[in-house]
Amino acid sequence: MKFLNSVGGDSRSNAYAFLLNKQINDVIDIFGKNRIIKNDYENLNSCDIPLDNTTFIQEYFKKMGYMTLIGEDFMQGGIFNWPYCIGFEKPPVHHSLSALQVILERSDLKGLTKKIFRERCYSKGFFIQEYMDDFLQKYKNKLKFSILWHSYILHDELNSIFAGDDLLYDYFQRNEAYFNNSFNILMGDHGFKMSYFVGTNIGSFEYMNPYFILTIPNELKSNKKLLKNLNENSNKHISHFDIYATLIDLLTIASKDNFKNLDKQENFPIINNKIKGLSLLRPLPEYNRTCYEMRIPPQYCLCKVNIKKPTTSFNKERSKLAKGFIKALNNKLIVGNLTDKCSPMKLDETEEFKVEIIETNEFDFIYKINAITLPGQARYLALMNKNFEVINDEIIRTNIYKDQAEVCEKKSLYRMYCYCKILVKNEKK
């Protein structure tokens, strides 16, 4: 499907949407017509809330008799508990790789495990495919719901994904019989964001427009209504919340009706869980829903807006925007308790502080900011309002920060705004 719109800039916020039906960012209407849609946790930190027995999609399937698996290649933690989040206090699925994650953190076993990985050519996380092979064979006669989550293949380097072509092809080929009898989703949680590419028009669009493909069982490929709905919906604006709704539909109404009554959206029989999206198996509205309707914050919205460049008499406003941006950026270090480790940021005066004006209606507007800061030439993107404040306090880092931040801080959610002081000291020597 062409126009999947991510609901956040990182994996966690998007995973909460398509696996938990949870919104962790506030959503504003930049046109000023609607109230703010508050996040599901309001003033609480979603990281501190256990996810057990709530709305996790695999728990629903597990309760309905499905065997469940989640395999992640990121060994320092899972999507729901990295870096300091509670996540699940008890295993939510039958099978996971949490034991391997523990082993790889043990100093006495880490070297041995990495040696085995090298010998078996388990590069870029492709050991999770073999884990899935075993799962499919063990439960070949049972209902299954599995999630494989690759991080290493694309997170830091855009071109490394090509290394997976043959491995993925072989994986799908050897398991063809299973996939031909299943619904399968191949998708990203968000697009690539770790290079100058995201600063281009196509790069910024792809960052908010992750890949999404859905295949259906062979026996349903003669279902004309289902095919019609999927074909028409493939050109519609959709979000991660719609993926969650689709999975709920597969578990409940659509499968019970044998996929025969797909003429309209349904209210799903789920207690204490108001489904935020719409099922992709059923007709979506004729019009394209707005980002606000789909609970997508404006800084991640795919919809085109009227953008113009400031006039030559814009210096006063530009100065206020620059001050407001740097203040908000350095406040991230304060909130993240990183001021002892990380250097305060300032604008790189040798680079353009790029400002664009987004017209939200005939009389109103907001600013889109692209900034480069020192030390480290960090690149950021933000939306700011007429009061020269960062909207939703959301500042997006658009280049790699690992070598600048993780020297002194490996896990903070605010490390993307950090340039370690120890690096500055070393540069002065």
Side-chain angles (χ1 to χ4, degrees), residues 32-265:
K33 297 179 180 179
N34 299 288
R35 63 175 179 80
I36 295 175
I37 304 176
K38 296 294 292 182
N39 71 82
D40 285 321
Y41 300 95
E42 296 186 350
N43 296 322
L44 299 175
N45 185 344
S46 58
C47 254
D48 298 334
I49 309 298
L51 301 177
D52 304 76
N53 300 312
T54 54
T55 58
F56 183 46
I57 191 65
Q58 282 190 296
E59 283 194 312
Y60 285 145
F61 276 80
K62 183 180 178 182
K63 289 175 181 177
M64 295 296 287
Y66 283 71
M67 300 305 299
T68 53
L69 171 147
I70 184 165
E72 301 177 71
D73 66 343
F74 184 60
M75 288 293 101
Q76 282 72 48
I79 187 61
F80 294 118
N81 60 12
W82 169 263
Y84 296 116
C85 301
I86 292 175
F88 293 94
E89 295 182 317
K90 295 181 179 179
V93 294
H94 294 103
H95 298 279
S96 75
L97 286 170
S98 57
L100 181 59
Q101 291 171 326
V102 172
I103 289 173
L104 283 172
E105 287 301 297
R106 284 185 51 173
S107 58
D108 58 331
L109 295 174
K110 185 183 296 186
L112 174 62
T113 309
K114 289 185 176 180
K115 180 176 180 291
I116 294 172
F117 276 25
R118 285 194 301 272
E119 290 173 350
R120 297 189 181 184
C121 295
Y122 283 158
S123 63
K124 300 294 182 182
F126 275 91
F127 58 88
I128 63 177
Q129 257 69 28
E130 289 195 17
Y131 187 50
M132 180 66 171
D133 289 342
D134 294 340
F135 177 74
L136 291 172
Q137 292 166 18
K138 181 176 178 62
Y139 300 110
K140 61 182 178 181
N141 295 319
K142 293 187 177 182
L143 294 170
K144 297 173 285 294
F145 183 175
S146 58
I147 297 172
L148 296 186
W149 192 299
H150 274 282
S151 294
Y152 289 119
I153 192 172
L154 187 59
H155 190 272
D156 291 342
E157 168 56 46
L158 185 61
N159 292 325
S160 65
I161 192 169
F162 298 110
D165 284 352
D166 291 340
L167 293 169
L168 284 172
Y169 178 80
D170 290 343
Y171 165 69
F172 285 116
Q173 281 286 97
R174 66 178 178 264
N175 293 303
E176 184 177 7
Y178 297 108
F179 294 128
N180 283 343
N181 193 37
S182 305
F183 284 89
N184 307 288
I185 293 175
L186 181 64
M187 61 176 286
D189 55 331
H190 59 76
F192 184 73
K193 63 176 182 177
M194 289 296 190
S195 77
Y196 298 132
F197 177 63
V198 78
T200 65
N201 288 334
I202 185 63
S204 62
F205 189 88
E206 288 190 2
Y207 168 45
M208 301 177 291
N209 177 219
Y211 188 82
F212 181 83
I213 186 170
L214 168 68
T215 68
I216 64 176
N218 282 347
E219 64 184 50
L220 290 177
K221 290 180 179 178
S222 59
N223 186 322
K224 293 182 179 180
K225 185 60 180 178
L226 175 60
L227 292 178
K228 180 177 183 291
N229 289 343
L230 290 172
N231 184 55
E232 291 180 353
N233 292 343
S234 69
N235 292 303
K236 297 286 183 66
H237 189 202
I238 63 175
S239 85
H240 285 310
F241 289 115
D242 297 326
I243 298 173
Y244 185 91
T246 304
L247 295 172
I248 288 291
D249 199 4
L250 287 173
L251 179 64
T252 57
I253 298 176
S255 55
K256 287 185 177 180
D257 290 342
N258 200 24
F259 301 93
K260 291 181 179 179
N261 300 309
L262 298 173
D263 294 318
K264 60 184 179 66
Q265 294 289 331

Side-chain angles (χ1 to χ4, degrees), residues 236-379:
K236 297 286 183 66
H237 189 202
I238 63 175
S239 85
H240 285 310
F241 289 115
D242 297 326
I243 298 173
Y244 185 91
T246 304
L247 295 172
I248 288 291
D249 199 4
L250 287 173
L251 179 64
T252 57
I253 298 176
S255 55
K256 287 185 177 180
D257 290 342
N258 200 24
F259 301 93
K260 291 181 179 179
N261 300 309
L262 298 173
D263 294 318
K264 60 184 179 66
Q265 294 289 331
E266 296 283 354
N267 293 317
F268 301 112
I270 306 295
I271 299 173
N272 298 324
N273 185 12
K274 183 179 179 181
I275 307 302
K276 297 179 175 69
L278 299 176
S279 173
L280 302 176
L281 308 179
R282 303 173 183 276
L284 294 176
E286 289 295 326
Y287 68 94
N288 271 321
R289 293 167 291 165
T290 67
C291 286
Y292 179 84
E293 285 180 84
M294 295 196 292
R295 298 172 183 255
I296 300 168
Q299 56 268 41
Y300 303 109
C301 185
L302 289 176
C303 299
K304 291 183 178 180
V305 291
N306 293 323
I307 295 179
K308 65 179 184 180
K309 293 184 178 181
T311 62
T312 53
S313 59
F314 192 72
N315 289 339
K316 184 177 179 181
E317 290 87 348
R318 186 185 299 274
S319 177
K320 289 183 178 180
L321 286 167
K323 290 179 181 178
F325 172 78
I326 287 297
K327 180 180 178 181
L329 180 61
N330 283 317
N331 191 57
K332 295 286 189 183
L333 301 179
I334 296 172
V335 174
N337 197 28
L338 294 175
T339 53
D340 289 342
K341 298 179 180 180
C342 306
S343 296
M345 291 289 184
K346 63 180 181 180
L347 286 176
D348 185 344
E349 300 294 343
T350 67
E351 299 282 356
E352 179 186 9
F353 179 68
K354 185 178 179 182
V355 179
E356 295 175 304
I357 298 174
I358 299 175
E359 295 179 331
T360 57
N361 58 47
E362 186 178 356
F363 304 104
D364 211 354
F365 59 88
I366 60 174
Y367 301 104
K368 180 180 179 181
I369 304 298
N370 281 276
I372 301 175
T373 62
L374 294 174
Q377 285 211 312
R379 293 174 178 265

